[in-house]
Amino acid sequence: MPQATATLAAPAPPPSASAARTPRRNGGSEFAPLLRTIKEKGLLERRPGWYARDMAVNLLGIAAVVTGLVLLGPSWWALLLAPPLALLSARAAFIGHDAGHAQVTGNRRLGRAVQLVHANLLLGMSREWWNDKHNRHHAHPNHLDKDPDVAADILVFAAHQTAGRTGLRRWLTRHQAWLFFPLTTLEGIALKVYGVQALLSSPGPYRTRRERLLEGALLLAHLAGYAALLLTLLGPLQALVFALLHQMLLGVHLGMAFAPNHKGMEMPDAHADGDSWGHLRRQVLTSRNIRGGRLTDWFLGGLNYQIEHHLFPSMPRPHLRLAQPAVRAHCRELGIPYTETGFVDSYRQALGHLHEVGAPLREQDAA
């Protein structure tokens, strides 16, 4: 245990630590030449056929799990189908994410329908709540005052956010690195709860009453359908255990996909000129890629190419890998660090940052 603690307490410093002081190219945008290159390669062109196949395979997989539940009936063996359903649910989340970024299609109405089906109906997660939150994250990644993903909540991401925390929240902050993965088991449920809270909130992100009613109806349909399916095919206790196992594994999977992307990377508001960073610098310095092959791409939904995704949010998922060499070369030319690490090391760095942030509370409580 002491050895593990030392590993968390001494994360490798982000390679981008000195990037804020890297001289900018005089005249013109740092991003414009890269954008021209990407456009010339056709990497911003959408791939509706690829997404159609991906959606069809995923829906067939979900149908296969439901068929398995029907065939097994009220048996504890049915719990073996919860892990594959969690994997398929995460795939639905990735498709909903991509549709929200207009990666699937340039037709706004069709893209909205795809996202409503995969987010609201299949996952019980509000599309509009997610888009509002996620778009603010993309506009100001890792900015403590502007990015909702690093706002102080259960977890905190900067030392000053620990001030005034007492009771359970203080204890959670002290041990947040060790508790990170256990806490992600609640993420699948939390996404549903936050969406319902936004739906019932009078301000909310919804622009029209019709939009609010549509999303509400789909969220209700998800809840009713999910409960009816499990309670019809399984016993009450079996249904409850299956649902908990499914949602907990889904939460862990989503946490594994999102956690390494920005945690421990540069925070623009920590630099005097952070608010003046251009698009290229703001997205590259705050993002971390994860090395891997096709299996990593599939498991993380393409979010392992976090730098490319943040630079080109509407780029279709299968093109992110193809864009990587051009992005890396452009960053090298400008002297901007391009952070890429292995699968395991990405979590070590992210958790190391969380552990370091909680250090002042541990020191105060030990004194």
Side-chain angles (χ1 to χ4, degrees), residues 328-344:
R328 187 192 286 118
H330 188 67
C331 289
R332 186 186 306 118
E333 179 186 349
L334 293 176
I336 299 176
Y338 178 100
T339 303
E340 185 178 33
T341 187
F343 188 81
V344 174

PDB file of all heavy atoms in Angstrom, residues 328-344:
ATOM      1  N   ARG A 328      -0.197  15.918 -35.075  1.00  0.00           N
ATOM      2  CA  ARG A 328       1.054  15.768 -34.331  1.00  0.00           C
ATOM      3  C   ARG A 328       2.185  16.533 -35.004  1.00  0.00           C
ATOM      4  O   ARG A 328       2.980  17.222 -34.334  1.00  0.00           O
ATOM      5  CB  ARG A 328       1.408  14.288 -34.206  1.00  0.00           C
ATOM      6  CG  ARG A 328       2.609  14.040 -33.308  1.00  0.00           C
ATOM      7  CD  ARG A 328       3.111  12.624 -33.416  1.00  0.00           C
ATOM      8  NE  ARG A 328       2.252  11.658 -32.740  1.00  0.00           N
ATOM      9  CZ  ARG A 328       1.612  10.663 -33.336  1.00  0.00           C
ATOM     10  NH1 ARG A 328       1.719  10.509 -34.645  1.00  0.00           N
ATOM     11  NH2 ARG A 328       0.872   9.815 -32.654  1.00  0.00           N
ATOM     12  N   ALA A 329       2.273  16.431 -36.335  1.00  0.00           N
ATOM     13  CA  ALA A 329       3.335  17.121 -37.077  1.00  0.00           C
ATOM     14  C   ALA A 329       3.191  18.631 -36.961  1.00  0.00           C
ATOM     15  O   ALA A 329       4.192  19.357 -36.817  1.00  0.00           O
ATOM     16  CB  ALA A 329       3.306  16.692 -38.541  1.00  0.00           C
ATOM     17  N   HIS A 330       1.965  19.126 -37.009  1.00  0.00           N
ATOM     18  CA  HIS A 330       1.731  20.566 -36.917  1.00  0.00           C
ATOM     19  C   HIS A 330       2.124  21.090 -35.533  1.00  0.00           C
ATOM     20  O   HIS A 330       2.743  22.155 -35.418  1.00  0.00           O
ATOM     21  CB  HIS A 330       0.256  20.867 -37.204  1.00  0.00           C
ATOM     22  CG  HIS A 330      -0.056  22.325 -37.311  1.00  0.00           C
ATOM     23  ND1 HIS A 330       0.423  23.129 -38.334  1.00  0.00           N
ATOM     24  CD2 HIS A 330      -0.798  23.136 -36.505  1.00  0.00           C
ATOM     25  CE1 HIS A 330      -0.008  24.369 -38.164  1.00  0.00           C
ATOM     26  NE2 HIS A 330      -0.755  24.407 -37.064  1.00  0.00           N
ATOM     27  N   CYS A 331       1.795  20.332 -34.501  1.00  0.00           N
ATOM     28  CA  CYS A 331       2.169  20.741 -33.144  1.00  0.00           C
ATOM     29  C   CYS A 331       3.691  20.734 -32.980  1.00  0.00           C
ATOM     30  O   CYS A 331       4.255  21.626 -32.337  1.00  0.00           O
ATOM     31  CB  CYS A 331       1.522  19.805 -32.118  1.00  0.00           C
ATOM     32  SG  CYS A 331      -0.267  20.002 -31.966  1.00  0.00           S
ATOM     33  N   ARG A 332       4.333  19.727 -33.570  1.00  0.00           N
ATOM     34  CA  ARG A 332       5.799  19.662 -33.490  1.00  0.00           C
ATOM     35  C   ARG A 332       6.417  20.878 -34.175  1.00  0.00           C
ATOM     36  O   ARG A 332       7.374  21.478 -33.672  1.00  0.00           O
ATOM     37  CB  ARG A 332       6.292  18.375 -34.147  1.00  0.00           C
ATOM     38  CG  ARG A 332       7.798  18.150 -33.985  1.00  0.00           C
ATOM     39  CD  ARG A 332       8.266  16.940 -34.770  1.00  0.00           C
ATOM     40  NE  ARG A 332       7.500  15.744 -34.429  1.00  0.00           N
ATOM     41  CZ  ARG A 332       6.750  15.070 -35.291  1.00  0.00           C
ATOM     42  NH1 ARG A 332       6.653  15.480 -36.554  1.00  0.00           N
ATOM     43  NH2 ARG A 332       6.103  13.989 -34.905  1.00  0.00           N
ATOM     44  N   GLU A 333       5.868  21.275 -35.299  1.00  0.00           N
ATOM     45  CA  GLU A 333       6.393  22.434 -36.036  1.00  0.00           C
ATOM     46  C   GLU A 333       6.274  23.715 -35.220  1.00  0.00           C
ATOM     47  O   GLU A 333       7.166  24.582 -35.266  1.00  0.00           O
ATOM     48  CB  GLU A 333       5.629  22.587 -37.353  1.00  0.00           C
ATOM     49  CG  GLU A 333       6.071  23.773 -38.193  1.00  0.00           C
ATOM     50  CD  GLU A 333       5.191  23.966 -39.421  1.00  0.00           C
ATOM     51  OE1 GLU A 333       4.388  23.064 -39.725  1.00  0.00           O
ATOM     52  OE2 GLU A 333       5.301  25.033 -40.060  1.00  0.00           O
ATOM     53  N   LEU A 334       5.189  23.845 -34.452  1.00  0.00           N
ATOM     54  CA  LEU A 334       4.970  25.048 -33.655  1.00  0.00           C
ATOM     55  C   LEU A 334       5.614  24.971 -32.275  1.00  0.00           C
ATOM     56  O   LEU A 334       5.599  25.943 -31.524  1.00  0.00           O
ATOM     57  CB  LEU A 334       3.465  25.292 -33.490  1.00  0.00           C
ATOM     58  CG  LEU A 334       2.685  25.655 -34.754  1.00  0.00           C
ATOM     59  CD1 LEU A 334       1.204  25.775 -34.443  1.00  0.00           C
ATOM     60  CD2 LEU A 334       3.206  26.942 -35.366  1.00  0.00           C
ATOM     61  N   GLY A 335       6.142  23.804 -31.914  1.00  0.00           N
ATOM     62  CA  GLY A 335       6.739  23.645 -30.588  1.00  0.00           C
ATOM     63  C   GLY A 335       5.712  23.513 -29.483  1.00  0.00           C
ATOM     64  O   GLY A 335       5.996  23.824 -28.321  1.00  0.00           O
ATOM     65  N   ILE A 336       4.504  23.054 -29.829  1.00  0.00           N
ATOM     66  CA  ILE A 336       3.447  22.846 -28.836  1.00  0.00           C
ATOM     67  C   ILE A 336       3.427  21.373 -28.456  1.00  0.00           C
ATOM     68  O   ILE A 336       3.265  20.511 -29.320  1.00  0.00           O
ATOM     69  CB  ILE A 336       2.068  23.261 -29.404  1.00  0.00           C
ATOM     70  CG1 ILE A 336       2.072  24.746 -29.760  1.00  0.00           C
ATOM     71  CG2 ILE A 336       0.961  22.959 -28.400  1.00  0.00           C
ATOM     72  CD1 ILE A 336       0.780  25.224 -30.410  1.00  0.00           C
ATOM     73  N   PRO A 337       3.618  21.037 -27.193  1.00  0.00           N
ATOM     74  CA  PRO A 337       3.631  19.626 -26.789  1.00  0.00           C
ATOM     75  C   PRO A 337       2.328  18.916 -27.143  1.00  0.00           C
ATOM     76  O   PRO A 337       1.238  19.448 -26.923  1.00  0.00           O
ATOM     77  CB  PRO A 337       3.821  19.693 -25.269  1.00  0.00           C
ATOM     78  CG  PRO A 337       4.463  21.012 -25.033  1.00  0.00           C
ATOM     79  CD  PRO A 337       3.895  21.942 -26.058  1.00  0.00           C
ATOM     80  N   TYR A 338       2.487  17.725 -27.675  1.00  0.00           N
ATOM     81  CA  TYR A 338       1.352  16.879 -28.046  1.00  0.00           C
ATOM     82  C   TYR A 338       1.401  15.688 -27.090  1.00  0.00           C
ATOM     83  O   TYR A 338       2.278  14.841 -27.173  1.00  0.00           O
ATOM     84  CB  TYR A 338       1.514  16.442 -29.503  1.00  0.00           C
ATOM     85  CG  TYR A 338       0.441  15.519 -30.041  1.00  0.00           C
ATOM     86  CD1 TYR A 338      -0.594  16.021 -30.821  1.00  0.00           C
ATOM     87  CD2 TYR A 338       0.475  14.152 -29.789  1.00  0.00           C
ATOM     88  CE1 TYR A 338      -1.567  15.177 -31.346  1.00  0.00           C
ATOM     89  CE2 TYR A 338      -0.492  13.304 -30.298  1.00  0.00           C
ATOM     90  CZ  TYR A 338      -1.512  13.825 -31.067  1.00  0.00           C
ATOM     91  OH  TYR A 338      -2.475  12.986 -31.583  1.00  0.00           O
ATOM     92  N   THR A 339       0.456  15.639 -26.153  1.00  0.00           N
ATOM     93  CA  THR A 339       0.510  14.648 -25.084  1.00  0.00           C
ATOM     94  C   THR A 339      -0.219  13.373 -25.477  1.00  0.00           C
ATOM     95  O   THR A 339      -1.420  13.394 -25.736  1.00  0.00           O
ATOM     96  CB  THR A 339      -0.100  15.214 -23.791  1.00  0.00           C
ATOM     97  OG1 THR A 339       0.597  16.399 -23.428  1.00  0.00           O
ATOM     98  CG2 THR A 339       0.006  14.197 -22.664  1.00  0.00           C
ATOM     99  N   GLU A 340       0.524  12.287 -25.488  1.00  0.00           N
ATOM    100  CA  GLU A 340      -0.044  10.970 -25.772  1.00  0.00           C
ATOM    101  C   GLU A 340       0.621   9.960 -24.847  1.00  0.00           C
ATOM    102  O   GLU A 340       1.840   9.979 -24.671  1.00  0.00           O
ATOM    103  CB  GLU A 340       0.187  10.586 -27.234  1.00  0.00           C
ATOM    104  CG  GLU A 340      -0.478   9.283 -27.631  1.00  0.00           C
ATOM    105  CD  GLU A 340      -0.277   8.964 -29.104  1.00  0.00           C
ATOM    106  OE1 GLU A 340       0.805   9.327 -29.642  1.00  0.00           O
ATOM    107  OE2 GLU A 340      -1.178   8.366 -29.720  1.00  0.00           O
ATOM    108  N   THR A 341      -0.174   9.106 -24.250  1.00  0.00           N
ATOM    109  CA  THR A 341       0.377   8.153 -23.285  1.00  0.00           C
ATOM    110  C   THR A 341      -0.329   6.815 -23.422  1.00  0.00           C
ATOM    111  O   THR A 341      -1.314   6.695 -24.151  1.00  0.00           O
ATOM    112  CB  THR A 341       0.216   8.706 -21.853  1.00  0.00           C
ATOM    113  OG1 THR A 341       0.885   7.853 -20.937  1.00  0.00           O
ATOM    114  CG2 THR A 341      -1.243   8.805 -21.462  1.00  0.00           C
ATOM    115  N   GLY A 342       0.177   5.825 -22.714  1.00  0.00           N
ATOM    116  CA  GLY A 342      -0.432   4.508 -22.746  1.00  0.00           C
ATOM    117  C   GLY A 342      -1.714   4.461 -21.935  1.00  0.00           C
ATOM    118  O   GLY A 342      -2.018   5.358 -21.150  1.00  0.00           O
ATOM    119  N   PHE A 343      -2.478   3.389 -22.136  1.00  0.00           N
ATOM    120  CA  PHE A 343      -3.778   3.222 -21.497  1.00  0.00           C
ATOM    121  C   PHE A 343      -3.664   3.301 -19.971  1.00  0.00           C
ATOM    122  O   PHE A 343      -4.334   4.107 -19.326  1.00  0.00           O
ATOM    123  CB  PHE A 343      -4.372   1.870 -21.929  1.00  0.00           C
ATOM    124  CG  PHE A 343      -5.788   1.646 -21.502  1.00  0.00           C
ATOM    125  CD1 PHE A 343      -6.832   2.189 -22.230  1.00  0.00           C
ATOM    126  CD2 PHE A 343      -6.083   0.887 -20.378  1.00  0.00           C
ATOM    127  CE1 PHE A 343      -8.149   1.971 -21.846  1.00  0.00           C
ATOM    128  CE2 PHE A 343      -7.392   0.667 -19.985  1.00  0.00           C
ATOM    129  CZ  PHE A 343      -8.429   1.212 -20.724  1.00  0.00           C
ATOM    130  N   VAL A 344      -2.794   2.492 -19.397  1.00  0.00           N
ATOM    131  CA  VAL A 344      -2.656   2.456 -17.936  1.00  0.00           C
ATOM    132  C   VAL A 344      -2.050   3.753 -17.414  1.00  0.00           C
ATOM    133  O   VAL A 344      -2.499   4.308 -16.399  1.00  0.00           O
ATOM    134  CB  VAL A 344      -1.807   1.248 -17.501  1.00  0.00           C
ATOM    135  CG1 VAL A 344      -1.530   1.290 -15.999  1.00  0.00           C
ATOM    136  CG2 VAL A 344      -2.509  -0.055 -17.874  1.00  0.00           C
TER     137      VAL A 344
END
